[in-house]
Amino acid sequence: MGWWLRLCWCLLVVIMLEGGHADGGEVTYDGRSLIINGQRQVLLSGSIHYPRSTPQMWPSLIAKAKEGGLDVIQTYVFWNLHEPNPGQYVFSGNYDLVQFIKEIQKQGLYVSLRIGPFIESEWNYGGFPFWLHDVPGIVYRSDNEPFKFYMQNFTTKIVNLMKSEGLYASQGGPIILSQIENEYQNVEPAFHEKGPPYVLWAANMAVGLQTGVPWVMCKQQDAPDPVINACNGLRCGETFAGPNSPNKPSLWTENWTSNYQVYGKGPIMRSAEDIAFHVALFIARNGSFVNYYMYHGGTNFGRTSSSYVIAAYYDQAPLDEYGLKRQPKWGHLKELHAAIKLCSTTLLQGTQTKFPLGTQQEAIVFEENTGGCAAFLINNDTHNNAIVQFRNISFQLLPKSISILPDCKIVAFNTATVKKKFNNRIMTPVQTFDLANSWKEFNDVVVNFGDTSLKSNRLPEQTSTTKDKSDYLWYTLR
Ligand SMILES: *[C@@H]1O[C@H](CO)[C@@H](O)[C@H](O)[C@H]1NC(C)=O
Ligand SMILES: *[C@@H]1O[C@H](CO)[C@@H](O)[C@H](O)[C@H]1NC(C)=O
Ligand SMILES: *[C@@H]1O[C@H](CO)[C@@H](O)[C@H](O)[C@H]1NC(C)=O
Ligand SMILES: *[C@@H]1O[C@H](CO)[C@@H](O)[C@H](O)[C@H]1NC(C)=O
Ligand SMILES: CC(=O)N[C@H]1CO[C@H](CO)[C@@H](O)[C@@H]1O
């Protein structure tokens, strides 16, 4: 790619970001994309969860995300960290959501805020505070009055906090998108007739909070208007049934860059080529927002991870557990993002046509009245190169690849051509626990059966008994 192309791309991004923060217009959408300050946008986003790193790390993580070509940082909000007891709130240290968002704003990026408040996220209890369990008559994530009371209470608390800090884009802040619930359709059938009214209630409750930015429900094909149904998955360009209204854009809220790892299993690898192929395909098929889940996974500190999930979260993401660039993934995606940005005006303003170039090859072309033209040449053959003719030029397409032509003539990027080299993380031990005196020993006193503090004539349920203060419940029986 010529130096002038790179320069143009930089200018485009700068103008877009400055425009995005200049005044506080509402964020809206149409069938093509989100609309920020009257402009359609192709947005590249990455998940970074603030409690999975430290405030000292946030500035450099965000800077590396920006350098990697992202426009948006997406995070969940972690209810059980923020409200450890009903009505008692914590927003300091690693839990300083406001500071995290302000740091993103400072670096000129947008925020997608996924409030949930059920978040799953391989997080202890899916983000629910344990005290919720003891609310009389509660049924989680259902058309149930006690649950709805606490869900609305926390969601309102977060929205009010964001508003009081002026953080919504409608106020001139960086938040352009919010999420209510999380992959609910996966479990909805279990709630029978209580599921659909809950979905409707959750959507209305969220919209009623008047944030001035759109809400999404991910993996909820019937998300009620005006909430946007978004896709989560590995291959949303192939699997997403699309928005449930022609007036809603096609958004991908979770594209797994790897997957979380559980004890006893190896890391889940997903190649840079495979991720790039599916992002390019989703964009070619009218997608206008793609989020990497995770861009930086980080660390599950303490007892915050859900069962079986190890402390290192998505270590295989573009930024590894420690925030180091993982090559070639980070660099390959950066080049992909630059190529997509070169096409973005044409993608957003042009009309789409598609036609076969062979049995397993296809062209998707966007053309503007002004002459702008961008093309995606897809080779879906996993094993063979393909030679195709496109606009009287011959192109060789690598197996299972997409070539991006921002001017319909020259290939700016091919998803299977990885130029960056693999890098290695070098670990230096700073302390080894090989001396007996480094270890401490604790003796548990084995109490007499007659002296136990809690007696029951049946086996107690573990979490009801420990209140989640510990993973251990030691019991004796006869
Ligand atoms: C949340 O509930 C508490 C009582 O538990 C109440 O004091 C508070 O005002 C409620 N907040 C909102 C935003 O509804
Ligand atoms: C993309 O949008 C165009 C309208 O601009 C529509 O004709 C086409 O069917 C859409 N393609 C997909 C894959 O949704
Ligand atoms: C590629 O081929 C597979 C297997 O036939 C199919 O499932 C998938 O949808 C195809 N993808 C594209 C982009 O054509
Ligand atoms: C391709 O070439 C044919 C004949 O060689 C010509 O008729 C046609 O206009 C050309 N198409 C383009 C897009 O240049
Ligand atoms: C919810 C969901 O679809 N999860 C999928 C994530 O990706 C893994 C790995 O491909 C699948 O096994 C899961 O089903």
Side-chain angles (χ1 to χ4, degrees), residues 301-318:
F301 294 112
R303 296 175 54 253
T304 56
S305 68
S306 58
S307 338
Y308 306 113
V309 174
I310 69 170
Y313 191 60
Y314 281 75
D315 182 37
Q316 295 294 321

Side-chain angles (χ1 to χ4, degrees), residues 398-420:
L398 292 175
K400 196 72 187 181
S401 81
I402 298 180
S403 294
I404 301 179
L405 290 63
D407 57 357
C408 286
K409 289 186 191 119
I410 297 167
V411 177
F413 181 81
N414 174 271
T415 58
T417 307
V418 178
K419 295 177 196 144
K420 287 280 176 282

Side-chain angles (χ1 to χ4, degrees), residues 183 186 219 232-235 256 258-259 268:
E183 300 192 343
N186 286 350
K219 283 206 165 183
N232 287 356
L234 289 166
R235 295 176 294 274
W256 300 305
S258 154
N259 216 316
I268 289 109

Side-chain angles (χ1 to χ4, degrees), residues 235 237-239 277-278 281 285 360-362 364 378-382 400 402:
R235 295 176 294 274
E238 289 170 356
T239 56
F277 180 91
H278 288 285
L281 183 66
R285 291 186 172 169
Q360 295 184 79
Q361 293 77 31
E362 186 186 20
I364 301 183
I378 303 167
N379 181 10
N380 198 33
D381 184 330
T382 328
K400 196 72 187 181
I402 298 180

Side-chain angles (χ1 to χ4, degrees), residues 120-155:
E120 170 42 39
S121 192
E122 292 71 63
W123 191 257
N124 190 18
Y125 221 47
F128 282 163
F130 191 76
W131 53 260
L132 209 55
H133 171 278
D134 291 334
V135 171
I138 201 161
V139 180
Y140 300 155
R141 306 176 79 194
S142 181
D143 185 19
N144 167 272
E145 293 308 321
F147 179 71
K148 290 193 296 188
F149 172 81
Y150 285 103
M151 174 165 166
Q152 177 162 9
N153 190 277
F154 181 71
T155 307

Side-chain angles (χ1 to χ4, degrees), residues 420-440:
K420 287 280 176 282
K421 295 216 159 42
F422 274 87
N423 63 356
N424 281 314
R425 185 163 63 192
I426 298 165
M427 304 259 199
T428 315
V430 289
Q431 198 178 355
T432 48
F433 293 101
D434 53 358
L435 297 170
N437 62 12
S438 303
W439 293 90
K440 285 186 184 167

